[in-house]
């Protein structure tokens, strides 16, 4: 309901969200054609996630006929600055590395390498965030273990008090 209201106001995030719901069949009937239409609308509004999702579906022929050329167009659009969407960088590079000459997409290993280098460089920047998340989760797990131990201690105290009272 909220997604639809926001989508009616041309919210790219809401359109992309509706696309996900229809793609996975979450809370609605699974419908790849409908999912693709939402992703395409989000893409038209400049959503990087909409562009990559539409590109992946079109490239795989999900909800439509397979069209690598159209998919490549989506990937190149969101791979370019200012978006520089990493998934689009990767997917554009994969198409460029192989080339699709019959579709007018020449093999361009230099461009593919440049895109993959950008993906790899971002990956290095992401590793401190991943390390931080792991540390936070480890601390949370340790905190939960301490709480569980404290509850076991309290339960033991309660049981001893109950036994003492029964004597």
């Amino acid at each position: 309901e909220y997604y639809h209201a926001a989508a009616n106001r041309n919210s790219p995030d809401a359109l992309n969200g509706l696309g996900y719901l229809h793609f996975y069949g979450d809370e609605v009937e699974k419908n790849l054609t409908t999912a693709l239409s939402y992703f395409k609308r989000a893409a038209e509004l400049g959503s990087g996630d909409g562009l990559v999702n539409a590109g992946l579906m079109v490239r795989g022929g999900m909800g439509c006929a397979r069209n690598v050329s159209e998919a490549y167009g989506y990937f190149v659009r969101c791979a370019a600055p200012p978006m520089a969407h990493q998934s689009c960088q990767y997917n554009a590079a994969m198409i460029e590395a192989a080339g699709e000459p019959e579709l007018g997409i020449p093999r361009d290993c230099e461009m593919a390498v440049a895109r993959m280098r950008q993906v790899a460089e971002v990956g290095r920047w992401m590793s401190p965030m991943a390390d931080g998340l792991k540390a936070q989760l480890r601390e949370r797990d340790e905190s939960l273990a301490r709480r569980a131990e404290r509850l076991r201690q309290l339960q033991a105290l309660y049981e001893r008090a109950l036994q003492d009272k029964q004597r």
Side-chain angles (χ1 to χ4, degrees), residues 5-15 41 45:
N8 289 336
R9 292 190 305 276
N10 289 323
S11 165
D13 291 335
L15 291 164
R41 284 180 55 199
L45 295 169

Side-chain angles (χ1 to χ4, degrees), residues 128-145:
M129 290 174 47
D131 292 344
L133 178 59
K134 287 177 189 173
Q136 181 181 9
L137 292 174
R138 193 171 34 253
E139 288 174 16
R140 185 200 67 192
D141 290 345
E142 290 169 2
S143 174
L144 290 173

Side-chain angles (χ1 to χ4, degrees), residues 22-112:
H22 286 275
F23 184 84
Y24 290 106
D26 189 10
E27 299 180 27
V28 295
E29 186 175 332
K30 182 174 181 171
N31 185 322
L32 297 180
T33 304
T34 302
L36 179 59
S37 71
Y38 281 120
F39 289 143
K40 283 184 172 184
R41 284 180 55 199
E44 289 168 8
L45 295 169
S47 165
D49 290 336
L51 285 159
V52 74
N53 290 330
L56 289 169
M57 288 191 74
V58 169
R59 183 178 186 192
M62 294 181 278
C64 64
R66 186 174 190 271
N67 188 330
V68 175
S69 183
E70 183 182 350
Y72 181 67
Y74 285 119
F75 297 143
V76 168
R77 184 172 160 206
C78 72
M83 265 187 256
H85 196 289
Q86 294 306 297
S87 185
C88 285
Q89 291 277 8
Y90 173 81
N91 283 287
M94 295 305 290
I95 293 171
E96 291 160 349
E100 296 281 348
E102 65 280 359
L103 299 175
I105 305 169
R107 185 174 186 193
D108 189 344
C109 291
E110 286 182 32
M111 179 58 84

